Amino acid sequence: MSRTLVVAGNGPVGHRLVESLREKDLTGEWRVEVFAEEPRPAYDRVALTSYVDTWDPLALQLDGATYDGDDLVSLHLGDPVVAIDRDAKAITTRSGATVAYDALVLATGSYPFVPPVPGHDLPGCHVYRTIDDLDAIRANAEKAARGRRAALVVGGGLLGLEAAKALRDMGLSPHVVELAPRLMPLQVDDGGGGLLRMLIERLDVTVHPGTGTQAIEADRGRLLAKLSNGTELDVDLVVFSAGVRPRDELARAAGLAVGARGGVAVGGDCVTSDRDIYAVGECACVDGAVYGLVAPGNAMAEVVADRLLGGRSTFAHGDTSTKLKLLGVDVASFGDAHATTEGALEVVFNDAVAGTYKKLVVSDDAKTLLGGVLVGDATSYPLLRPLVGRDLPGDPAAMIAPSGGAAAVGIGIGALPDEAQVCSCNGVTKGAINGAIADGCAEVPALKACTKAGTTCGSCVPMLKQLLSAAGVEQSNALCEHFTQRRSELFEILLSTGIHTFSELIARYGNGSGCDLCKPAVASMLASLGNGHVLDGEQAALQDTNDHFLANLQRNGTYSVVPRIPGGEITPEKLMVIAQVAQDFGLYTKITGGQRIDLFGATVDQLPAIWRRLVDAGFESGHAYGKALRTVKSCVGDTWCRYGVQDSVRLAIELELRYRGLRAPHKIKSAVSGCARECAEARSKDFGVIATEHGWNLYVGGNGGFTPRHAELFVSDVSTEELFTYIDRFLMFYVRTADRLQRTAAWLEAMDGGLDHLREVIVDDSLGICEDLDAAMAKHAESYADEWAGVLNDPAKLARFTSFVNAPGTPDPTISFREERGQPVPLGMPTGAGR
């Protein structure tokens, strides 16, 4: 007969306990009754901030959280345990139900700590812990007066910065107040905290370190926050995120032992002072320590699941390593990050210009890694964290040096022993993953399902791929789960079959209904093959946000408009048109690095009117929104420059007009320099041209951005006609064979044979496809049509451009601006940001 386990709490750790127990309980020894305080099944609290992206609670729900089809688990939502009768071994719930137990697990988590600030309970003051909390914050934000909307976050730790991101995404300007002298004081040191502050403030968040909140007062429909440094802030809402406290009230009322600073007291076996009651997660105080992270909680859950089935597992210690992306900034902390170990040494590289801070803490003989802090660039974290407590495979300085890094000193997946944890969230070792691979797990999803590695924060997924590759398992290059083919194969299918809709392609060659990966990718391929306007029929539904409105979406919900200015050459008359359009529509103007003029701040309903003015003046779409050719930058060439040897402006204009509108796997940039002095920076582009006294040198496969790469010399001293032929073939070969979102640099690096093979294909026609490539590019150039004009000439397409479907022509009232340096900027952007 089954015994009854009652689980008080249904957060991620409580769910992990039930999930682990059901996997291991092969004979059905335990029947589980789960009592949840919230009205919804367990969801991912680590990803709570992402709720703002969709406002869909189901997107956060954990796999298997409803226990559908499992007769041995009953889930009681919105009915928490309120009392424990230890003598009767029974619990009572809020609804009045009484349930007897053979074992009870307290997984009640924690509650947000709200400092006793006068006014903390005023309307508009919130905590940041649950989906319901975020719904309440959203409702408050939507009621806030239009104009400069601001919010205060009390607490600059992990949750505080998460809250700041959520508020910024709701259109408010966040202020973060932190008592400690730096942000994230538990995870990073002074150096890392200083850089983190600089990076966060660049992202439109105002930080007040070393500052407390003295009072909050109601003030004319808003809130007035008075800070300890004398600052007074007018805000629309306040979010308290100043830490958490263990939910141990059930244990206290039942007479169970608690820790000196709270938390249900347990040992390594997670057993409380009552041998029939366990405690796990944030409500537990293990040998005097309370852990507020998911990884230690999951480890406790595994211990209890094992012990309920007669095992002897123990919780040795909690891994407090963290890796996260806060407001787009990488932050990682692992091991003894603050160098508290006696004799510990610190190795630090701090590059404020590059926006990176890296510190390793090593033993006094510099042979053992004790911990570290990474801010701005945490790519080394997956390889460094498992080495904590182990001998270093190289010079610690070389492991984090800007010019080298872990890979440069041979710290790869092969350097890790089998017992090293690859997934700290779920305690999965390298040996366990290799065992799963040996048992037939041949892809990342299978490894996730088998081992749980990569199912929580996801930071170890790249290492799972490395382990598969190291084991000789060929990785799938499929576009996504809905197609078994890679992008280049799907392109060939479209080319050879004449299919011109996504629905027909997926019906014949895929499965399901598609996703956000394959739909835009197929839309791009269809556009490359000349299948009409990108907003024609089914095509429109496939586009991502920017292509959907033929403009670039900005942070405050407005769009930027970038007319094409080939070669950067523009007449005074056209300059005046742009100036007049910007003035009439109240747009922010900026000259871009690609020699164009960007007009920011247009609402959806304004876009067609702006385009009409520009198109009538001879402008066309600059495709700044698309995965297409962006610009061909140029210097002034021999027309003006005394060093110039060729007419770089003329060539740049001809190149841009020939390749405009060419849809590709990623954006394409180019440049033409009129001499070897390289003023147009052609070698940092996907394809670049440098003039010589005898013709042109063509460089390919370069890019700037996150990982800059110089282009390589492809051909030398070629004529203009030869140059166009080779570029035609290069671009069309790239369009047909590159993977989704693969820049030309990465495409060339991944190509078997590299530049030599590319030269054989394009110059020597080794594959016999050059005639086809030439024809395809000629067809593109002949069939080009401006996408903005295509919308203006089609009433059905024009109808798409409205802020509110049920009220066409009504502007979005949530969008507002303020003036800075004589131009309109979004309200969420603080004065002097990024200085």
Side-chain angles (χ1 to χ4, degrees), residues 18-323:
V18 177
E19 191 178 41
S20 179
L21 179 63
R22 293 298 299 122
E23 287 178 358
K24 297 173 181 176
D25 186 8
L26 303 179
T27 62
E29 181 179 343
W30 289 94
R31 175 175 180 78
V32 186
E33 301 282 344
V34 182
F35 293 92
E37 183 172 35
E38 293 190 61
R40 54 181 57 87
Y43 55 90
D44 186 0
R45 292 191 194 278
V46 174
L48 182 62
T49 302
S50 67
Y51 178 54
V52 177
D53 298 332
T54 64
W55 298 107
D56 178 11
L58 292 179
L60 290 181
Q61 185 169 296
L62 296 174
D63 291 340
T66 59
Y67 310 112
D68 289 340
D70 192 336
D71 295 335
L72 290 179
V73 181
S74 297
L75 176 60
H76 308 272
L77 297 175
D79 194 19
V81 175
V82 296
I84 304 169
D85 186 337
R86 291 169 54 193
D87 294 332
K89 294 183 64 174
I91 58 92
T92 301
T93 71
R94 186 165 60 191
S95 68
T98 300
V99 179
Y101 64 81
D102 293 289
L104 168 65
V105 177
L106 301 177
T108 49
S110 61
Y111 65 89
F113 170 66
V114 177
V117 176
H120 69 271
D121 53 355
L122 285 170
C125 291
H126 304 267
V127 294
Y128 188 87
R129 185 67 175 164
T130 67
I131 285 177
D132 286 346
D133 292 335
L134 269 176
D135 284 339
I137 292 170
R138 178 192 188 188
N140 193 163
E142 289 176 345
K143 290 189 297 184
R146 301 305 171 196
R148 182 173 175 79
R149 303 192 303 163
L152 174 66
V153 178
V154 180
L158 166 59
L159 283 178
L161 294 182
E162 290 278 3
K165 179 185 186 303
L167 292 166
R168 194 193 66 171
D169 290 347
M170 292 182 208
L172 288 94
S173 178
H175 291 258
V176 177
V177 174
E178 169 56 48
L179 269 174
R182 62 179 183 271
L183 294 171
M184 293 187 68
L186 297 180
Q187 286 81 20
V188 304
D189 58 1
D190 287 338
L195 178 65
L196 179 60
R197 177 187 176 183
M198 183 186 79
L199 296 176
I200 293 295
E201 288 190 326
R202 285 180 181 175
L203 298 167
D204 308 337
V205 176
T206 305
V207 179
H208 305 266
T211 305
T213 306
Q214 290 187 327
I216 299 168
E217 300 173 359
D219 183 27
R220 293 167 294 177
R222 302 183 79 196
L223 295 173
L224 179 66
K226 297 182 176 181
L227 308 185
S228 62
N229 62 3
T231 300
E232 294 187 349
L233 300 174
D234 287 312
V235 297
D236 296 283
L237 56 90
V238 176
V239 176
F240 288 98
S241 188
V244 295
R245 299 291 185 268
R247 288 282 301 272
D248 58 13
E249 61 269 26
L250 270 176
R252 291 178 184 272
L256 295 174
V258 295
R261 301 183 63 182
V264 188
V266 297
D269 55 5
C270 295
V271 177
T272 69
S273 52
D274 184 323
R275 63 183 180 85
D276 295 318
I277 302 178
Y278 300 81
V280 295
E282 292 176 315
C283 73
C285 178
V286 188
D287 295 328
V290 175
Y291 298 93
L293 298 170
V294 68
N298 284 341
M300 293 180 217
E302 295 288 348
V303 167
V304 173
D306 179 68
R307 285 190 166 261
L308 288 170
L309 296 172
R312 305 298 298 169
S313 295
T314 58
F315 177 80
H317 67 280
D319 186 349
T320 58
S321 301
T322 55
K323 177 184 179 294

Side-chain angles (χ1 to χ4, degrees), residues 638 642-647 673-677 690-697 716-719:
D638 65 355
R642 66 185 188 275
Y643 300 112
V645 294
Q646 299 283 356
D647 189 348
S673 288
C675 73
R677 283 175 169 76
I690 300 178
T692 72
E693 292 183 354
H694 306 290
W696 306 97
N697 286 351
S716 303
D717 293 328
V718 296
S719 67

Side-chain angles (χ1 to χ4, degrees), residues 353-677:
V353 175
T356 59
Y357 175 88
K358 301 179 181 181
K359 180 181 83 170
L360 292 185
V361 180
V362 298
S363 59
D364 55 4
D365 58 3
K367 293 182 178 179
T368 304
L369 181 63
L370 302 178
V373 174
L374 305 170
V375 176
D377 176 12
T379 53
S380 299
Y381 172 81
L383 292 171
L384 291 171
R385 185 200 53 75
L387 290 173
V388 172
R390 302 180 184 280
D391 288 345
L392 290 166
D395 176 14
M399 292 164 62
I400 57 174
S403 60
V409 292
I411 304 177
I413 196 70
L416 302 180
D418 281 348
E419 62 271 20
Q421 280 193 1
V422 169
C423 176
S424 61
C425 292
N426 298 292
V428 186
T429 64
K430 174 185 172 183
I433 294 170
N434 280 335
I437 295 172
D439 289 340
C441 291
E443 54 186 11
V444 170
L447 285 177
K448 286 183 173 183
C450 181
T451 67
K452 293 189 177 66
T455 59
T456 304
C457 77
S459 65
C460 62
V461 169
M463 296 185 72
L464 301 184
K465 295 179 180 179
Q466 292 177 39
L467 286 169
L468 284 165
S469 298
V473 178
E474 185 175 351
Q475 299 294 291
S476 170
N477 290 311
L479 180 62
C480 70
E481 61 187 280
H482 300 103
F483 291 97
T484 59
Q485 302 88 352
R486 63 189 304 167
R487 181 193 174 277
S488 58
E489 293 168 337
L490 286 173
F491 193 101
E492 290 301 319
I493 289 173
L494 291 170
L495 184 64
S496 61
T497 62
I499 291 174
H500 59 273
T501 64
F502 176 84
S503 55
E504 185 180 358
L505 179 68
I506 199 167
R508 292 177 57 182
Y509 295 95
N511 63 86
S513 58
C515 63
D516 291 339
L517 295 181
C518 60
K519 287 181 178 179
V522 172
S524 173
M525 288 184 272
L526 290 171
S528 298
L529 292 169
N531 284 276
H533 195 280
V534 294
L535 298 183
D536 279 338
E538 186 193 65
Q539 278 266 81
L542 304 179
Q543 307 298 336
D544 60 20
T545 302
N546 286 347
D547 277 306
H548 194 73
F549 289 113
L550 308 183
N552 274 13
L553 179 65
Q554 303 301 316
R555 61 179 295 271
N556 67 336
T558 61
Y559 290 81
S560 70
V561 176
V562 186
R564 186 174 301 285
I565 303 178
E569 182 181 84
I570 188 168
T571 64
E573 290 77 14
K574 283 191 172 182
L575 273 175
M576 286 190 284
V577 170
I578 290 179
Q580 194 63 55
V581 167
Q583 187 175 66
D584 290 350
F585 288 90
L587 304 178
Y588 171 96
T589 57
K590 185 182 187 304
I591 297 175
T592 73
Q595 299 180 159
R596 303 198 288 190
I597 299 176
D598 209 338
L599 307 173
F600 290 86
T603 58
V604 168
D605 52 290
Q606 291 177 330
L607 290 174
I610 293 171
W611 296 341
R612 172 60 68 192
R613 297 270 294 275
L614 293 172
V615 169
D616 287 348
F619 288 103
E620 61 183 33
S621 166
H623 285 92
Y625 50 82
K627 300 295 184 288
L629 178 77
R630 296 291 178 83
T631 64
V632 182
K633 186 178 178 182
S634 77
C635 64
V636 297
D638 65 355
T639 304
W640 293 93
C641 180
R642 66 185 188 275
Y643 300 112
V645 294
Q646 299 283 356
D647 189 348
S648 57
V649 177
R650 177 184 296 276
L651 181 65
I653 292 172
E654 291 175 352
L655 288 170
E656 187 159 341
L657 293 180
R658 181 168 181 79
Y659 304 124
R660 58 186 170 176
L662 179 66
R663 296 285 171 150
H666 212 301
K667 62 186 174 185
I668 302 170
K669 295 186 178 183
S670 179
V672 182
S673 288
C675 73
R677 283 175 169 76

